[in-house]
Amino acid sequence: MYTEEHLYSIALRQCLQIGDINFSKLLKTFGNAKNTWFQAKKEYQKVDGIGYKTVMDIGNPEHLKFAEQELKFCENHQVQISLRHLGQLPYLLNECDDAPSILYHKGNLDISPQYVSLIGTRNITVYGKKFIHDFFEEAQSFNFCSVSGLALGTDKEVHEQSINHKTKTIAVLAHGFTTLYPPRNKKLSEKILEEGGTLVTEFNSSRKPDRENFLQRNRIIAGFSPSTIVVETGFGGGSISTATYANNYNRDVYALPGKITDPYSQGCNHLIFQHKAIAISGIKNLINCLGFNTSSHQMEELFPIPTEDLQLSDNQNLIYKTIFHNPQISLDDLSQKIDLSTHKILPVILELELLGKIRSLSGRQFVAI
């Protein structure tokens, strides 16, 4: 189940000065964790921006002992380990510069579904609860996976409504698997696993739920998904940091507006006012914006376009066929596949959308209809 690469990766991340970004730099130079463990201290000059102080703790036998104990813990507690440099993280999370080098998880970490992150205050109101219920009610026929943080309040409501509506859900933890925080959500965490969901964390088993871990955890919640929905939050709430991460990753952020006098709508209203989030005007419109396109109960079009008579230009045909054979292809990948610049592709994309041939998803991705 575990390999030498798992062992040396865990040992490396225990070294002083080796965070996720330095870990990634070193492995790009030395190829894998084992080579880095034995070569980096002698040949650190090969890596841009890495000095001796950064690598001085690499090779410490205490870290290797820790890694051996960690692997035993994971084996005894059915914890799986995914390594970023082996391409084992979900695609969008892997795209983040500061993505976790190591992801520990219980349950199946399916890297293929569409993720949607939903976050908000621990002091959720009736307004927020109703929105979450109505969202999952309206979206239950679509194939997606919710992501939240297993905290009380909004996170708890998101995971529970996911389970109630047979939607897979991922809980991102701010600690290792030795503990479960908050303790009141232990049964919920077990239910998530029973229903095919996942518990994930970047923290090894020895890490406790320290305050700073929660801010660090928030970048993973934002990184998983092309879209983050802020349900309710006050000024300075933890959800603001998650929205900021999502903005920095160039992901879509949606916020539920509320009365200016409601303390847990003020953070959402402020995000919208600062153009850091799109105002949610209705659940059906939100679902369209999220780009859900795999409904098992799609309605027939009242006025279908007669596609048999539709004549596409050469460029339209080329782009349409490429998107058809590569669902959810990004603009950059499309440009590479057909060897055409993005500024020439975008007008054709618009034409195809107006013709009802393709649909744009968040994150500048496209699917054929």
Side-chain angles (χ1 to χ4, degrees), residues 110-369:
D110 189 348
I111 63 174
S112 61
Q114 180 167 343
Y115 297 105
V116 178
S117 297
L118 294 102
I119 56 173
T121 177
R122 288 171 172 79
N123 302 298
I124 188 169
T125 69
V126 173
Y127 176 55
K129 285 185 178 183
K130 186 176 188 309
F131 167 79
I132 293 170
H133 172 271
D134 291 351
F135 172 79
F136 280 97
E137 187 74 22
E138 192 73 32
Q140 63 183 328
S141 61
F142 297 91
N143 180 31
F144 74 102
C145 178
S146 68
V147 182
S148 201
L150 201 70
L152 299 174
T154 301
D155 295 4
K156 182 175 182 286
E157 194 71 21
V158 168
H159 296 306
E160 287 180 342
Q161 290 297 334
S162 297
I163 292 168
N164 292 343
H165 289 87
K166 308 299 181 186
T167 297
K168 285 190 177 179
T169 189
I170 291 177
V172 186
L173 310 180
H175 51 77
F177 278 113
T178 299
T179 186
L180 194 289
Y181 183 86
R184 275 186 279 175
N185 281 349
K186 189 174 191 305
K187 286 187 178 179
L188 175 58
S189 71
E190 293 168 353
K191 188 68 174 175
I192 288 171
L193 295 176
E194 287 171 10
E195 297 298 322
T198 316
L199 306 179
V200 306
T201 181
E202 65 181 310
F203 300 106
N204 61 56
S205 64
S206 68
R207 294 290 293 273
K208 296 178 180 179
D210 297 323
R211 186 179 180 84
E212 62 271 16
N213 292 357
F214 288 88
L215 288 176
Q216 194 171 328
R217 179 274 308 270
N218 288 349
R219 83 188 196 290
I220 297 179
I221 296 175
F224 252 101
S225 307
S227 303
T228 293
I229 299 171
V230 187
V231 179
E232 289 183 303
T233 187
F235 286 123
S239 297
I240 300 297
S241 73
T242 311
T244 301
Y245 280 121
N247 279 307
N248 290 340
Y249 296 149
N250 200 27
R251 310 291 170 78
D252 293 333
V253 178
Y254 299 90
L256 182 66
K259 296 178 182 177
I260 60 173
T261 53
D262 289 348
Y264 297 111
S265 288
Q266 288 174 355
C268 290
N269 292 341
H270 195 59
L271 285 170
I272 294 165
F273 177 75
Q274 291 188 317
H275 304 291
K276 293 181 178 179
I278 301 164
I280 296 171
S281 59
I283 290 176
K284 287 187 178 180
N285 182 60
L286 171 63
I287 287 173
N288 288 333
C289 292
L290 293 174
F292 288 171
N293 66 317
T294 54
S295 172
S296 57
H297 304 289
Q298 289 193 1
M299 295 177 61
E300 292 185 9
E301 291 288 340
L302 293 177
F303 304 99
I305 296 172
T307 53
E308 63 274 9
D309 297 327
L310 195 62
Q311 297 295 320
L312 299 181
S313 69
D314 290 343
N315 271 352
Q316 287 174 340
N317 196 43
L318 172 63
I319 291 172
Y320 172 74
K321 285 185 175 179
T322 306
I323 293 172
F324 180 84
H325 292 295
N326 300 272
Q328 297 190 10
I329 189 171
S330 70
L331 179 62
D332 289 340
D333 288 343
L334 179 61
S335 176
Q336 288 183 357
K337 277 188 178 292
I338 64 176
D339 195 24
L340 201 63
S341 63
T342 57
H343 76 272
K344 290 184 178 179
I345 292 174
L346 284 171
V348 183
I349 290 285
L350 178 59
E351 293 166 3
L352 289 170
E353 283 189 281
L354 293 173
L355 290 170
K357 299 292 289 182
I358 67 167
R359 179 182 295 159
S360 295
L361 308 180
S362 49
R364 293 186 115 184
Q365 295 178 315
F366 311 101
V367 293
I369 300 174

